[in-house]
C-alpha cells in the first residue's frame, strides 16, 4: 500500500473474473510485507464467515484468524487479503473498524458486478480506495510473456498492408 497512507485506508481491487486480481494482491503481499494472510471467501470455512458477524472484539478476531490459517500477523508489517470479498459483504462493512484499529493493512479483491450487488445492504466504507483492474490486451500479453518480436512484426505488416502479414496473422 502507499507508504504515506500508513494503513489509513484499505484497497479494493475490482474487475472482471479471472484477470489476475488475486494473483496481483498475493504477489504484492509476498514482496512488500513480512507476512500476509489470504482469506478466499469462495472456499473459507463457515467459521471464518461467522467471525465477521460480530467484530466487537478485534483481538479475538485476529487471534482466531491466525490460528485458523497458521499465519503470524505482525503489527504494521502484515497485510490481510480478503479475496472474493463479494462472498462476504460483512467484511467490507468491517473495513472501517479494521482500518481504524491500524494494526494491519487490508486488500480486498472482487468481481466488479458481484461487488456492487453484494454491497446493497451494507454500509460502504469511506476508508476504502477502489482500483479497477482490466484484462491485458494482446500486446500487453505478448510483453508479459517476453515476446518482443510478434507485435513489431504485426505492426509493420499492418502499416505496409502486406499480403504476407495477413497470412501471418491468420496462419
Amino acid at each position: 500500500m502507499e507508504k504515506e497512507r500508513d494503513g489509513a485506508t484499505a484497497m479494493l481491487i475490482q474487475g472482471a473474473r479471472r484477470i489476475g486480481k488475486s494473483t496481483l494482491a498475493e504477489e504484492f503481499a509476498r514482496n512488500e510485507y513480512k507476512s500476509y494472510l489470504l482469506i478466499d471467501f469462495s472456499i473459507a470455512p463457515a467459521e471464518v464467515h461467522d467471525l465477521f458477524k460480530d467484530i466487537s472484539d478485534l483481538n479475538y478476531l485476529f487471534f482466531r484468524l491466525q490460528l485458523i490459517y497458521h499465519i503470524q500477523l505482525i503489527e504494521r508489517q502484515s497485510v490481510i487479503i480478503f479475496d472474493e470479498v463479494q462472498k462476504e459483504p460483512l467484511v467490507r462493512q468491517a473495513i472501517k473498524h479494521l482500518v481504524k484499529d491500524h494494526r494491519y493493512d487490508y486488500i480486498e479483491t472482487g468481481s466488479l458486478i458481484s461487488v456492487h450487488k453484494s454491497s446493497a445492504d451494507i454500509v460502504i466504507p469511506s476508508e476504502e480506495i477502489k482500483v479497477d483492474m482490466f484484462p491485458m490486451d494482446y500486446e500487453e500479453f505478448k510483453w508479459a510473456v517476453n515476446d518482443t518480436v510478434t507485435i513489431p512484426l504485426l505492426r509493420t505488416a499492418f502499416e505496409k498492408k502486406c499480403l504476407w502479414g495477413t497470412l501471418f496473422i491468420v496462419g
Side-chain angles (χ1 to χ4, degrees):
M1 310 283 275
E2 295 179 40
K3 296 284 185 207
E4 62 269 12
R5 294 194 194 284
D6 193 33
T9 56
M11 179 178 290
L12 169 63
I13 304 170
Q14 58 184 5
R17 295 183 74 241
R18 311 288 308 151
I19 62 168
K21 298 179 298 293
S22 304
T23 302
L24 177 72
E26 188 169 11
E27 187 66 21
F28 178 77
R30 186 178 294 115
N31 291 323
E32 299 298 323
Y33 290 89
K34 286 198 175 178
S35 72
Y36 69 93
L37 193 150
L38 172 66
I39 303 171
D40 181 345
F41 283 105
S42 68
I43 59 171
E47 177 184 10
V48 172
H49 287 270
D50 290 343
L51 284 172
F52 291 93
K53 290 179 181 173
D54 178 4
I55 60 160
S56 60
D57 185 350
L58 291 179
N59 291 325
Y60 177 76
L61 172 75
F62 297 134
F63 175 77
R64 292 297 303 145
L65 289 174
Q66 290 177 86
L67 280 176
I68 293 166
Y69 288 96
H70 308 287
I71 299 289
Q72 181 182 6
L73 295 172
I74 305 160
E75 286 192 29
R76 301 305 316 135
Q77 297 179 47
S78 296
V79 62
I80 300 175
I81 302 170
F82 298 122
D83 195 21
E84 302 292 347
V85 73
Q86 73 275 6
K87 303 270 186 196
E88 188 50 70
L90 291 176
V91 168
R92 283 197 66 211
Q93 186 167 281
I95 287 295
K96 172 182 182 171
H97 305 288
L98 296 173
V99 166
K100 184 178 178 184
D101 178 69
H102 204 258
R103 278 183 243 191
Y104 312 112
D105 288 338
Y106 302 94
I107 301 173
E108 307 158 88
T109 71
S111 297
L112 187 60
I113 294 170
S114 300
V115 166
H116 290 293
K117 284 183 182 177
S118 68
S119 300
D121 297 328
I122 65 165
V123 176
I124 303 296
S126 58
E127 297 76 11
E128 184 179 80
I129 295 174
K130 291 184 183 116
V131 176
D132 292 328
M133 188 169 164
F134 300 94
M136 286 188 273
D137 62 24
Y138 186 66
E139 185 174 9
E140 292 167 330
F141 171 73
K142 292 310 241 177
W143 289 337
V145 296
N146 293 318
D147 179 345
T148 58
V149 176
T150 302
I151 297 302
L153 286 174
L154 289 175
R155 188 172 288 116
T156 300
F158 178 76
E159 289 168 356
K160 294 186 178 194
K161 297 182 175 111
C162 294
L163 178 59
W164 59 264
T166 307
L167 294 173
F168 174 72
I169 294 171
V170 174

